[in-house]
C-alpha cells in the first residue's frame, strides 16, 4: 500500500513538473511572438497560460502589451488591472496602464499611474516623458516643464526628451525655444531622422524653405522609407518653385504606397497647375475611390472636368460638394456657369441667386469675425492639415501629419501579423456555420467548439469523411468534386437496396449540397427527416441550404415578402461616419418572408432536440440580423455564449449587433473579447470606433 501511495505521489509530481515546463514554454513562445510583432498570435499563447494558471501576473501583463500594440487600449487597461491585482508591485504594469489610459484621454488616471511608477523608479526616463506629456495634455505646462527639467538634468543626452519638449514649446507658440530643443537633439545625435524631420517641418512653417529642404533631405537620407518626409519635402520644393522636384517626391511616395491619399491629392493639384488635366483627373479619381467622402477631391475634379469641357461630369461632382457644404457660394457660381453653358438657363439662375445669398451671409460672418479679432481660417495658411476639412482650402496642398507614414501598408505577408488594426477590413458579420467535410483553417487559431450531437452523428452515420460544423468552409477542387459525384452514385446504388435508410439520404444530400445541387440536396434531406424526425443534423443542413438559396436570390417574389419593413436600425447607419468601411451586404428590401420563418422553425426544432447545439443559436441570430431584429439577434448570441463562453464568432457578431443599436461600450467589449479569441478583424473596427 505504501509503495502504491509513493508511486501515485511520484506520478502527480511528474504531471506537475510537466505542466510547469509546458506553461513556461508557451509563455516563452508568446513573448517571442510579441517581440516579432505577431500580436494576435501572442494573445493566443497568453490565453493558454492564463487558462492553465490564472493566478500568474505575467501573462496578463504581456497580453495587455499585445492589446496595447493593437490599439485596444481599454482591453490593455483591463488586463493591466488584472496583472496589478495579482501583483501590486508590478511596476511595468503601472506604466503600461498609464499609457493605455493616456491613449483613452484619461489623463488624470494616467498621471496617477505614472506617479505610482515613479515611486518605485523615480528616474525612469520613459515614465518621466509620459508624465510630462500628460501634463501638457492637461494644459499644466509649468508642471510639464518641471518634469522635463528633471528628465534632462538626469539624462542630458536623451534625444526624445528634447523632441518632446520642443513639441510642447510649439503648443505654447514659442517657436524659438522649440527650434533650440530640435537643434540640441541634432547636436547630441545627428543620426536620428525624426529630429531632422521635426526641425525641417518647423523651418517650413517659419517659411525658411532652404533650411527646411536641407533638413528634410537629411531626414530622407537617414530614413528613406518614411513617406511623410517626401510629402513635406514636396511642399518645400513647391514653395521654392521646383514643381518638377515636388512631383518627383509625390511619385516616389506613390511608388511606395499606391494608396497614399496625401501624395495622390497633392500630385493631382500640381498636375492641374501645369495643365496636365487628364492625369490630374486620374489622381483625383483614385483619391475618391479610396475615400468616397473626400469633398476636396470632388471640387478639384469638378474644375478639371470643366477645363476639358465635360460640364455634365463637373456638375455631378459639384452636386456632391454642395450637398455636403450648402453654404459654399463659390460652388454655386461654378455650377451656375456650367449650367449656362449647357443651356439650362433656369437652373443657372437658381444657382446664381443662391450663390449671391450665401456670399452675402459669408461677408456678414467675415465682418463679425474681424470685429472679434479673429482671422479667417482660409487666410491663415498656404497649406492645410490632412484633417482640416475647411472647404475654402480645397486648392491648398496637404501637409503630412506628424504620424503620417506607410503604417496602413502592411509589411507582412500574413494579414494577422503586426498592426492588424490598420488594415482596411470590412464591417460584416462572421459567416454562418454550416455542416461540411472541409474547412480553410485560420491564420490565427480560434477555439474549437465541442458538440456532443456532432460526435454522436459521426459515430452513427459512418460517412467516408468526418462531418464538422465550420463557418469557413472551403471550396472544392476538381478532384474533390469528382469524388463527391462518385459518392452520389454509390449512395444511389445503396438506396435501391435500402430505400428507407435516413442515413443514406442524408449522406447523398450532403454530397449534393457540396457540389451546389441544392434542389436535389433538399429532396434528400427532406426524405431523411421524414424517415427519422429526431435526426438533428438534417434540420441544420436544410436550414443552411435554404439560407444559401436566399443569398443566391435575395429578391423574392412580391407575394413572398411582408408588406412593411420591420422596425430597426440598419447596422450600416451606425458606421457610416467611419472612413473606408465596406457596408454589410444586406438586401435593400424587407427580408422577412415565409422562407425565413421556415429556416427559423428548423433551428427551433434543433434546439428542442438538443438545447446545447450552439450553432443553431448562432445561425438564428444571423437570420434575425437580416430581418433587422438586432435585439433578438443579441439574445440568441447571448444564449450561445452561456453554453460556450469561448465562442469567438458569437462575441464578434454580438458586438456588431450592439453597435447597430447604439450600445457602443458593450459592443466594443464584445469585439475586444473576439479579438482576444483570434478574430483579427475586431481590432480594425475597435480602432475606428475609438
Amino acid at each position: 500500500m505504501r509503495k502504491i501511495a509513493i508511486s501515485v505521489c511520484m506520478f502527480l509530481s511528474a504531471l506537475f513538473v510537466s505542466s510547469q515546463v509546458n506553461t513556461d514554454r508557451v509563455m516563452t513562445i508568446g513573448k517571442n511572438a510579441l517581440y516579432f510583432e505577431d500580436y494576435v498570435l501572442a494573445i493566443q499563447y497568453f490565453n493558454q497560460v492564463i487558462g492553465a494558471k490564472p493566478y500568474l501576473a505575467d501573462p496578463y501583463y504581456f497580453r495587455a502589451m499585445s492589446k496595447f500594440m493593437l490599439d485596444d487600449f481599454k482591453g490593455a487597461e483591463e488586463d493591466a488591472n488584472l496583472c496589478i491585482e495579482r501583483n501590486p508591485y508590478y511596476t511595468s504594469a503601472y506604466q503600461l496602464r498609464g499609457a493605455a489610459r493616456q491613449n483613452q484621454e484619461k489623463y488624470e488616471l494616467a498621471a496617477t499611474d505614472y506617479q505610482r511608477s515613479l515611486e518605485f523608479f523615480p528616474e525612469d526616463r520613459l515614465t518621466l516623458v509620459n508624465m510630462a506629456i500628460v501634463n501638457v495634455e492637461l494644459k499644466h505646462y509649468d508642471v510639464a516643464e518641471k518634469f522635463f527639467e528633471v528628465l534632462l538634468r538626469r539624462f542630458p543626452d536623451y534625444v526624445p526628451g528634447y523632441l518632446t519638449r520642443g513639441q510642447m514649446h510649439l503648443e505654447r507658440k514659442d517657436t524659438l525655444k522649440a527650434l533650440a530643443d530640435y537643434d540640441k537633439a541634432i547636436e547630441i545625435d545627428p543620426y536620428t531622422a525624426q529630429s531632422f524631420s521635426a526641425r525641417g517641418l518647423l523651418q517650413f512653417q517659419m517659411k525658411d524653405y532652404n533650411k527646411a529642404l536641407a533638413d528634410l533631405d537629411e531626414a530622407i537620407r537617414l530614413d528613406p522609407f518614411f513617406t511623410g518626409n517626401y510629402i513635406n519635402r514636396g511642399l518645400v520644393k513647391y514653395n521654392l518653385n521646383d514643381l518638377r522636384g515636388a512631383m518627383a517626391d509625390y511619385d516616389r511616395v506613390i511608388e511606395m504606397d499606391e494608396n497614399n491619399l496625401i501624395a495622390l491629392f497633392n500630385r493631382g493639384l500640381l498636375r492641374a497647375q501645369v495643365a496636365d488635366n487628364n492625369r490630374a483627373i486620374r489622381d483625383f479619381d483614385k483619391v475618391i475611390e479610396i475615400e468616397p467622402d473626400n469633398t476636396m477631391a470632388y471640387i478639384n475634379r469638378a474644375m478639371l472636368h470643366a477645363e476639358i469641357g465635360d460640364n455634365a461630369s463637373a456638375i455631378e461632382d459639384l452636386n456632391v460638394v454642395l450637398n455636403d457644404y450648402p453654404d459654399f457660394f463659390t460652388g454655386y457660381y461654378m455650377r451656375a456657369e456650367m449650367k449656362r453653358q449647357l443651356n439650362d438657363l433656369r437652373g443657372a439662375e437658381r444657382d446664381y441667386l443662391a450663390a449671391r445669398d450665401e456670399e452675402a451671409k459669408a461677408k456678414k460672418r467675415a465682418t463679425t469675425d474681424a470685429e472679434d479679432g479673429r482671422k479667417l481660417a482660409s487666410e491663415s495658411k498656404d497649406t492645410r492639415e490632412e484633417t482640416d476639412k475647411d472647404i475654402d482650402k480645397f486648392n491648398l496642398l496637404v501637409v503630412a501629419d506628424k504620424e503620417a507614414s506607410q503604417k496602413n501598408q502592411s509589411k507582412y505577408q500574413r494579414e494577422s501579423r503586426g498592426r492588424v488594426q490598420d488594415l482596411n477590413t470590412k464591417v460584416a458579420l462572421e459567416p454562418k456555420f454550416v455542416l461540411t467535410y472541409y474547412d480553410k483553417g485560420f491564420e490565427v487559431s480560434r477555439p474549437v467548439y465541442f458538440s456532443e450531437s456532432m460526435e454522436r452523428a459521426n459515430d452513427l452515420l459512418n460517412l467516408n469523411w468526418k462531418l464538422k460544423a465550420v463557418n469557413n468552409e472551403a471550396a472544392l477542387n476538381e478532384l474533390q468534386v469528382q469524388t463527391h459525384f462518385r459518392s452520389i452514385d454509390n449512395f444511389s446504388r445503396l438506396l435501391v437496396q435500402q430505400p428507407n435508410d435516413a442515413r443514406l439520404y442524408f449522406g447523398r444530400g450532403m454530397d449534393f449540397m457540396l457540389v451546389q445541387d441544392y434542389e436535389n440536396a433538399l429532396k434528400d434531406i427532406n426524405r431523411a427527416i421524414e424517415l427519422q424526425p429526431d435526426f438533428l443534423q438534417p434540420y441544420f443542413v436544410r436550414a443552411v441550404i435554404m439560407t444559401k438559396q436566399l443569398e443566391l436570390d435575395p429578391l423574392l417574389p412580391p407575394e413572398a415578402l411582408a408588406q412593411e419593413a420591420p422596425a430597426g436600425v440598419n447596422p450600416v447607419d451606425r458606421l457610416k461616419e467611419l472612413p473606408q468601411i465596406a457596408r454589410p451586404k444586406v438586401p435593400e428590401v424587407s427580408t422577412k418572408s415565409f422562407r425565413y420563418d421556415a429556416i427559423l422553425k428548423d433551428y427551433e426544432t434543433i434546439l428542442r432536440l438538443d438545447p446545447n447545439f450552439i450553432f443553431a443559436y448562432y445561425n438564428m441570430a444571423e437570420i434575425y440580423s437580416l430581418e433587422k431584429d438586432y435585439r433578438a439577434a443579441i439574445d440568441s448570441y447571448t444564449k450561445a455564449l452561456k453554453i460556450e463562453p469561448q465562442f469567438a464568432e458569437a462575441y464578434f457578431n454580438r458586438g456588431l449587433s450592439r453597435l447597430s443599436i447604439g450600445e457602443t461600450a458593450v459592443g466594443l467589449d464584445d469585439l475586444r473579447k473576439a479579438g482576444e479569441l483570434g478574430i483579427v478583424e475586431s481590432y480594425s473596427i475597435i480602432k475606428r470606433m475609438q
Side-chain angles (χ1 to χ4, degrees):
M1 187 68 183
R2 186 180 176 188
K3 288 182 179 179
I4 293 173
I6 292 171
S7 299
V8 169
C9 289
M10 290 177 66
F11 175 70
L12 291 174
S13 299
L15 279 179
F16 177 79
V17 171
S18 174
S19 171
Q20 178 69 38
V21 170
N22 288 339
T23 306
D24 290 344
R25 183 169 176 273
V26 171
M27 191 72 188
T28 301
I29 296 171
K31 289 178 183 178
N32 291 343
L34 176 58
Y35 176 80
F36 288 109
E37 301 182 12
D38 212 341
Y39 307 123
V40 178
L41 181 62
I43 288 173
Q44 302 299 302
Y45 285 118
F46 299 134
N47 286 345
Q48 292 180 37
V49 179
I50 289 168
K53 296 184 177 179
Y55 51 84
L56 293 178
D58 273 357
Y60 288 104
Y61 171 76
F62 288 108
R63 191 172 73 176
M65 178 68 75
S66 303
K67 290 179 178 179
F68 183 88
M69 298 306 294
L70 290 167
D71 289 351
D72 180 8
F73 303 119
K74 186 172 185 290
E77 180 185 359
E78 290 169 352
D79 274 349
N81 287 339
L82 292 169
C83 173
I84 291 168
E85 284 175 12
R86 285 155 179 77
N87 183 356
Y89 302 102
Y90 207 122
T91 311
S92 300
Y94 288 104
Q95 295 172 340
L96 180 57
R97 189 173 68 178
R101 287 172 166 175
Q102 184 176 341
N103 279 279
Q104 296 176 77
E105 300 183 3
K106 300 177 180 178
Y107 300 123
E108 297 284 359
L109 290 173
T112 302
D113 276 337
Y114 292 140
Q115 188 61 50
R116 178 67 169 154
S117 175
L118 289 171
E119 290 174 12
F120 293 108
F121 296 103
E123 295 183 343
D124 182 75
R125 293 189 305 187
L126 185 59
T127 308
L128 286 168
V129 167
N130 283 334
M131 194 66 164
I133 292 171
V134 165
N135 280 285
V136 170
E137 295 287 357
L138 292 169
K139 310 300 182 187
H140 300 162
Y141 296 115
D142 293 338
V143 177
E145 186 76 60
K146 289 177 181 176
F147 278 106
F148 279 123
E149 286 175 6
V150 172
L151 171 69
L152 296 174
R153 185 169 60 249
R154 178 65 183 84
F155 304 101
D157 294 334
Y158 187 49
V159 170
Y162 289 102
L163 294 178
T164 311
R165 190 172 68 177
Q167 186 60 37
M168 181 192 73
H169 289 317
L170 284 181
E171 286 210 18
R172 302 182 78 176
K173 312 298 182 187
D174 192 339
T175 54
L176 292 179
K177 283 188 176 179
L179 192 59
D181 275 338
Y182 293 151
D183 289 342
K184 184 65 175 177
I186 291 170
E187 178 189 328
I188 294 167
D189 182 4
Y191 304 104
T192 300
Q194 187 183 357
S195 304
F196 287 100
S197 298
R199 191 174 71 177
L201 186 56
L202 179 55
Q203 301 277 18
F204 169 71
Q205 291 165 350
M206 295 169 69
K207 301 187 184 301
D208 195 341
Y209 300 124
N210 287 309
K211 288 183 178 178
L213 181 61
D215 277 343
L216 290 170
D217 283 343
E218 183 62 14
I220 289 170
R221 187 186 71 81
L222 293 169
D223 183 2
F225 301 107
F226 181 64
T227 56
N229 288 332
Y230 289 99
I231 290 169
N232 291 337
R233 190 174 70 175
L235 291 171
V236 173
K237 289 179 178 179
Y238 170 78
N239 280 278
L240 289 170
N241 294 318
D242 181 7
L243 294 186
R244 190 182 297 274
M247 199 86 76
D249 275 339
Y250 296 132
D251 289 341
R252 175 66 176 137
V253 173
I254 294 165
E255 283 175 18
M256 292 191 287
D257 177 7
E258 64 180 0
N259 293 328
N260 190 292
L261 285 168
I262 299 178
L264 286 165
F265 188 94
N266 286 358
R267 190 174 70 175
L269 287 179
L270 292 183
R271 283 175 167 174
Q273 286 193 25
V274 297
D276 189 356
N277 295 330
N278 288 312
R279 292 210 295 172
I281 288 172
R282 286 202 293 273
D283 277 340
F284 289 119
D285 286 343
K286 184 69 173 176
V287 171
I288 291 167
E289 177 189 333
I290 298 167
E291 193 174 68
D293 58 350
N294 192 316
T295 313
M296 306 289 191
Y298 277 107
I299 189 168
N300 281 288
R301 191 173 69 174
M303 295 174 68
L304 289 163
H305 280 312
E307 284 287 329
I308 63 174
D310 187 357
N311 287 325
S313 296
I315 288 172
E316 286 181 12
D317 283 343
L318 283 172
N319 290 342
V320 175
V321 175
L322 293 171
N323 185 54
D324 288 346
Y325 294 93
D327 58 348
F328 182 45
F329 63 84
T330 305
Y332 287 108
Y333 279 127
M334 292 167 61
R335 193 169 68 177
E337 176 59 24
M338 292 167 196
K339 286 181 177 179
R340 187 189 65 76
Q341 291 181 25
L342 291 173
N343 210 29
D344 179 7
L345 300 181
R346 183 172 295 178
E349 184 181 9
R350 271 199 311 271
D351 278 346
Y352 181 76
L353 293 174
R356 291 192 61 180
D357 184 46
E358 293 298 337
E359 186 177 19
K361 292 178 185 176
K363 285 180 178 177
K364 186 176 180 181
R365 286 194 299 271
T367 303
T368 303
D369 288 340
E371 289 172 356
D372 291 344
R374 295 194 298 266
K375 189 177 183 181
L376 288 175
S378 58
E379 298 173 356
S380 61
K381 282 187 177 182
D382 297 325
T383 59
R384 68 177 176 90
E385 296 284 342
E386 186 181 10
T387 51
D388 188 348
K389 302 302 181 184
D390 184 350
I391 191 63
D392 291 319
K393 300 180 181 180
F394 68 88
N395 58 347
L396 298 184
L397 294 173
V398 183
V399 182
D401 293 335
K402 293 183 289 294
E403 295 180 0
S405 71
Q406 64 271 45
K407 70 178 182 179
N408 289 328
Q409 181 181 4
S410 178
K411 61 183 176 179
Y412 301 104
Q413 292 181 342
R414 288 173 51 197
E415 292 198 340
S416 61
R417 297 195 62 192
R419 293 178 57 85
V420 296
Q421 72 273 28
D422 292 331
L423 296 175
N424 183 27
T425 58
K426 294 181 179 180
V427 176
L429 296 173
E430 277 285 304
K432 63 184 167 297
F433 276 79
V434 302
L435 294 191
T436 183
Y437 307 126
Y438 310 102
D439 67 284
K440 292 183 289 191
F442 296 103
E443 283 188 0
V444 177
S445 62
R446 297 185 186 180
V448 178
Y449 313 120
F450 173 77
S451 168
E452 189 177 343
S453 297
M454 292 298 297
E455 291 294 316
R456 263 200 318 271
N458 276 307
D459 291 340
L460 293 172
L461 290 169
N462 195 29
L463 299 170
N464 292 326
W465 302 273
K466 184 176 181 180
L467 196 63
K468 57 179 82 171
V470 302
N471 76 328
N472 61 333
E473 57 180 327
L476 273 59
N477 58 38
E478 188 176 349
L479 177 61
Q480 290 168 333
V481 169
Q482 295 303 321
T483 301
H484 284 285
F485 276 126
R486 287 196 298 272
S487 178
I488 290 169
D489 293 338
N490 290 335
F491 277 120
S492 298
R493 283 193 294 271
L494 290 170
L495 281 166
V496 172
Q497 302 167 9
Q498 306 171 57
N500 295 320
D501 193 332
R503 294 175 299 176
L504 297 178
Y505 281 106
F506 177 78
R508 191 172 70 173
M510 284 292 301
D511 287 329
F512 276 127
M513 183 182 72
L514 289 169
V515 297
Q516 310 297 323
D517 186 349
Y518 295 137
E519 186 176 346
N520 280 319
L522 272 180
K523 288 178 183 176
D524 278 350
I525 295 300
N526 287 335
R527 182 62 177 151
I529 290 171
E530 287 174 17
L531 293 169
Q532 192 173 337
D534 62 345
F535 188 2
L536 182 151
Q537 277 68 29
Y539 291 103
F540 193 80
V541 172
R542 184 167 70 179
V544 167
I545 290 173
M546 288 192 289
T547 307
K548 286 188 173 187
Q549 287 178 320
L550 284 179
E551 289 175 3
L552 292 170
D553 185 18
L555 300 178
L556 299 174
E559 62 272 13
L561 296 170
Q563 294 302 310
E564 294 183 3
V569 183
N570 192 310
V572 184
D573 295 339
R574 294 296 305 166
L575 298 167
K576 272 182 179 175
E577 69 275 11
L578 301 182
Q580 300 182 50
I581 295 184
R583 296 178 54 163
K585 198 171 184 179
V586 294
E588 293 296 326
V589 297
S590 167
T591 55
K592 191 167 185 177
S593 69
F594 74 94
R595 296 175 74 179
Y596 276 133
D597 289 340
I599 294 167
L600 290 172
K601 284 177 183 175
D602 274 345
Y603 289 132
E604 288 166 1
T605 303
I606 292 167
L607 292 169
R608 280 199 300 272
L609 295 170
D610 180 5
N612 292 322
F613 199 71
I614 57 173
F615 310 113
Y617 283 117
Y618 179 92
N619 284 6
M620 281 178 77
E622 182 201 36
I623 300 299
Y624 291 136
S625 294
L626 289 173
E627 291 184 335
K628 303 177 184 177
D629 188 352
Y630 302 111
R631 294 200 179 276
I634 291 167
D635 183 59
S636 286
Y637 289 129
T638 302
K639 288 175 180 175
L641 286 164
K642 284 181 180 176
I643 300 165
E644 175 49 78
Q646 300 295 304
F647 200 166
E649 293 82 2
Y651 278 113
F652 183 85
N653 286 1
R654 189 175 72 174
L656 290 187
S657 298
R658 283 173 161 172
L659 292 181
S660 301
I661 59 174
E663 296 179 354
T664 306
V666 288
L668 289 176
D669 286 341
D670 277 344
L671 291 175
R672 289 186 182 95
K673 185 65 177 177
E676 182 182 304
L677 293 171
I679 299 184
V680 175
E681 295 80 7
S682 300
Y683 293 105
S684 173
I685 300 170
I686 289 168
K687 178 180 178 180
R688 284 178 277 180
M689 286 300 290
Q690 288 178 154

